[in-house]
Each structure stands twice: as structure tokens, then as C-alpha cells.
Amino acid sequence: MATIIDLVRQDFEKIYTSILNNPKVNIDFEDLLDTNSKSITNLLTNLTGKDGVILEERNCLIEFLSLMERSEDACGEYDEEIEQEFIEYIEKYPNVKSFEFFLIRYQSEFFNDEGIAPDVRVNFYRNVFENYPHLVNLDDFSEESQLLLPILLSDDPPVFYFDIFRKALDTFPHKAILKFVLSRLYEKSNLEKSIEYCLQFLGQIESDRTYDSVENIYIYSGDSITIENHVVAMYTLAELFYINSEYEYSLDYCDKLLEHYESHKEAEYDFSMTFFEPMIIRCRIHMKQNNVDAFRKDFEQIRRTFEEEDMNTDEYHDLLDFANDLKM
């Protein structure tokens, strides 16, 4: 499928033809997505008409790169002037969809602000899914735009977003990440629904991945999907099944995470979710089932890995109290 880089390359080669189709100019299109584009700006500044470059095109591209830098310098604080400048590019080049992407990416950063009214954020998501399907359908849109960060970080009442994301999933069923968002949205109000969507998410990313026999690894596909998403999905299910008192299923996903840890010990990014937290969940299930022997075995394994003072917090007091009662 097409990517954001494909879109930017296609669009910018049309409107900045003398620069980006110039054999004397070598610009990495990935760098054009980077808001810190000083190196490209310096390169462009040194180009002249003798290089076969149309100076008006050069100056226009420098101005746009400057706008992207200013959007980054805003650090997530809304700047109406910056937003309006992105809109002016869209109006000036109505057939250049890349400028719509850059506006959405800027707005996504802004909507991380907890001070934003929920209805503003709701309208933002509705607008993106309904009016920009040509962008949403791109293979890496969610990742490159950071579109989903505001919804995952927001404390807004989840009920505001149920209909929007259910409709989005109906429209874009290949976007597995939308199932994870729905799972997160339902966590506080409907555990069964949360589990249902998370199971669908896990099933889809597993069915979409391919196995590389040469490297002995799975290659994940889909918008923003990586091995980290696989780990997060399994951990989320272990937690959700535990909270829902479905201990057999929770233990099953804990086991899957621990198996993953054994074969990926070098991947420090997921140590907490693939070893420590699954072991904590297992110990709590052993406590509820009064399975003393299993608790002893797992707790000793935790203790060998962590200093006890690292666990001496309110979060783990129940495990420490149970271990003390067993005189461990």
C-alpha cells in the first residue's frame, strides 16, 4: 500500500519540480517529513538558477520547511497563525493532499493538550475519519500523523468517542490499531467489550504478519503495527482477563508473555510487560486461588530479579504481605 512518503514524493515533485526532479539535487524524502529540516534548508539556500532550479520554487519550499519548524517549536501549544498558514497551503494547492496531512499532524500534536474541550477533540476525529479517507487509508498514516495519541492519552469520557471509532473501524477494517483504541475506550465501562476488541486486535495483527525464515523473525504489517503492539495486546489481555476474574485466560496470556521474554531477552523495551508484570499478575492469581506452592515459586523468581526495596511500594504491598505471612 502507499505510504505518506509516497504521497509527499508524488506531490512535491509536481510543485517543486525543478528541485526534486533535478539530478544535481539529492534530497531524502523522509527528511521532508522531519520538522527539523535545517540541513535541507541550507542545501536549498545554496542552489541557484545555474543549477537548473527555479528560484520561486526554491523559496516556496524553504518557506514551507520554515513553517514546519515553527510548528515544532510551538511544542504542542495552539498557534492560530501556524494553523492558518497550513490551511493557506491547502487552499493554494487543492490537489496536493500532502498539505492536508501536515495540517492534521500539527493538529494532532495540539490536541494532546489536556486543556482542550472534549467536543473540540471529538470534532477533530470525526472530521479526519469522514473527510480525509484518502489519507487515513495510507499504510502508515496513524504512525506518521500521531493521530491516535490524543485519544490514548486523554481523560475525556470514553463514551464521547464510541460511535466515531466504531464507524471508523467499519470504514477502515484493515486498520487494526482502531480495534486497540476501542478496547482502551471500553476498559472502564464494559470489560467484555474491551476484551472482545483487544482479542480482535491481537488476532488481526497475528494473521497479517509474515514469517521471515532467514532472519527467524515475524514481520508485522499495517498502520503503526510493530512487535511492541503484539506485546502490548497480550499484556492488555492478561490484565483485562485478570480484572474480569477469568484467571485461566489471564494465566494463559501471562505464559505467552513469559515465553516471549525467554526468546527476546535482548529486547529491553518490553522487559516490564514480558516478565515483571506477568509474574505479578500470576502471583496475585495464586493468592486468590490460595495456591501457596505456585505463589512461592513465582515470588522467589521475582525476588531473584528485583531488589525487595524496589517492590516496597503501595502498589505491591499485597504481595509482600502475603509473602511475609508465609514467612518467605
Side-chain angles (χ1 to χ4, degrees):
M1 294 179 66
T3 66
I4 292 295
I5 290 176
D6 295 333
L7 177 68
V8 173
R9 178 185 291 109
Q10 173 184 308
D11 284 344
F12 279 30
E13 283 180 347
K14 290 178 182 176
I15 58 177
Y16 306 118
T17 306
S18 71
I19 300 170
L20 299 177
N21 287 332
N22 190 323
K24 295 182 180 180
V25 181
N26 184 20
I27 292 178
D28 189 331
F29 279 88
E30 288 195 23
D31 292 340
L32 286 173
L33 297 179
D34 190 351
T35 49
N36 183 14
S37 52
K38 287 184 173 60
S39 60
I40 296 181
T41 301
N42 292 336
L43 170 64
L44 294 175
T45 302
N46 292 323
L47 294 175
T48 68
K50 294 180 180 179
D51 300 307
V53 168
I54 297 174
L55 296 185
E56 183 181 357
E57 286 184 9
R58 182 201 67 177
N59 295 339
C60 286
L61 181 52
I62 289 174
E63 287 176 6
F64 182 72
L65 294 175
S66 172
L67 172 60
M68 291 212 296
E69 284 190 28
R70 286 189 287 119
S71 72
E72 176 68 15
D73 292 340
C75 299
E77 293 184 7
Y78 177 61
D79 188 316
E80 185 177 358
E81 182 178 337
I82 289 175
E83 184 178 61
Q84 184 56 43
E85 287 186 48
F86 278 118
I87 292 172
E88 288 171 4
Y89 276 97
I90 294 171
E91 293 174 344
K92 183 178 180 180
Y93 303 99
N95 295 320
V96 179
K97 302 306 179 184
S98 293
F99 293 126
E100 296 174 343
F101 160 75
F102 288 117
L103 172 63
I104 291 171
R105 185 172 71 171
Y106 172 67
Q107 292 173 327
S108 294
E109 174 70 19
F110 162 58
F111 285 122
N112 280 318
D113 186 346
E114 284 298 324
I116 302 301
D119 62 321
V120 175
R121 215 177 336 253
V122 167
N123 289 333
F124 166 67
Y125 281 108
R126 182 179 291 111
N127 177 55
V128 170
F129 289 130
E130 292 182 358
N131 296 323
Y132 301 97
H134 49 285
L135 294 178
V136 178
N137 267 315
L138 293 174
D139 194 46
D140 56 351
F141 174 70
S142 299
E143 179 180 10
E144 292 293 345
S145 67
Q146 299 297 299
L147 176 76
L148 301 177
L149 279 182
I151 192 70
L152 292 174
L153 298 175
S154 170
D155 288 330
D156 294 345
V159 67
F160 290 172
Y161 300 99
F162 289 155
D163 286 345
I164 292 174
F165 278 87
R166 284 196 300 257
K167 289 178 182 177
L169 184 56
D170 288 342
T171 306
F172 310 102
H174 53 291
K175 295 284 180 176
I177 196 67
L178 296 176
K179 294 177 179 177
F180 181 69
V181 173
L182 279 163
S183 176
R184 289 285 303 273
L185 289 171
Y186 275 110
E187 271 185 23
K188 293 181 180 178
S189 61
N190 189 329
L191 276 177
E192 297 292 341
K193 276 285 186 187
S194 182
I195 290 170
E196 175 187 335
Y197 278 114
C198 198
L199 283 170
Q200 290 181 22
F201 174 61
L202 179 62
Q204 186 167 345
I205 64 177
E206 287 183 341
S207 65
D208 288 349
R209 66 182 178 174
T210 56
Y211 180 67
D212 185 334
S213 58
V214 176
E215 298 293 333
N216 191 31
I217 58 173
Y218 281 103
I219 307 298
Y220 291 84
S221 62
D223 194 346
S224 78
I225 301 301
T226 65
I227 192 171
E228 288 95 332
N229 294 102
H230 194 188
V231 168
V232 168
M234 291 190 292
Y235 173 68
T236 301
L237 285 167
E239 259 199 326
L240 291 174
F241 278 125
Y242 170 72
I243 296 169
N244 209 36
S245 300
E246 297 182 77
Y247 300 137
E248 180 181 353
Y249 294 122
S250 180
L251 287 172
D252 183 45
Y253 282 101
C254 287
D255 290 345
K256 292 179 187 294
L257 289 163
L258 293 168
E259 289 170 8
H260 179 91
Y261 168 71
E262 286 300 321
S263 58
H264 297 79
K265 285 186 178 179
E266 73 285 356
E268 296 181 4
Y269 68 84
D270 61 2
F271 175 77
S272 175
M273 282 189 290
T274 58
F275 177 80
F276 182 65
E277 293 298 341
M279 292 296 289
I280 294 294
I281 292 173
R282 276 171 43 141
C283 281
R284 287 187 168 133
I285 292 174
H286 299 328
M287 290 165 54
K288 289 182 179 295
Q289 296 178 334
N290 200 30
N291 190 339
V292 173
D293 290 340
F295 178 88
R296 285 182 182 274
K297 180 180 177 182
D298 282 351
F299 190 79
E300 286 295 350
Q301 193 172 350
I302 295 173
R303 186 178 269 168
R304 285 195 298 271
T305 309
F306 288 86
E307 297 293 336
E308 190 150 324
E309 53 264 28
D310 293 337
M311 294 183 60
N312 194 20
T313 66
D314 289 342
E315 186 177 358
Y316 306 113
H317 73 87
D318 56 331
L319 277 74
L320 294 174
D321 291 346
F322 194 80
N324 288 334
D325 289 343
L326 296 176
K327 296 183 169 45
M328 294 181 66

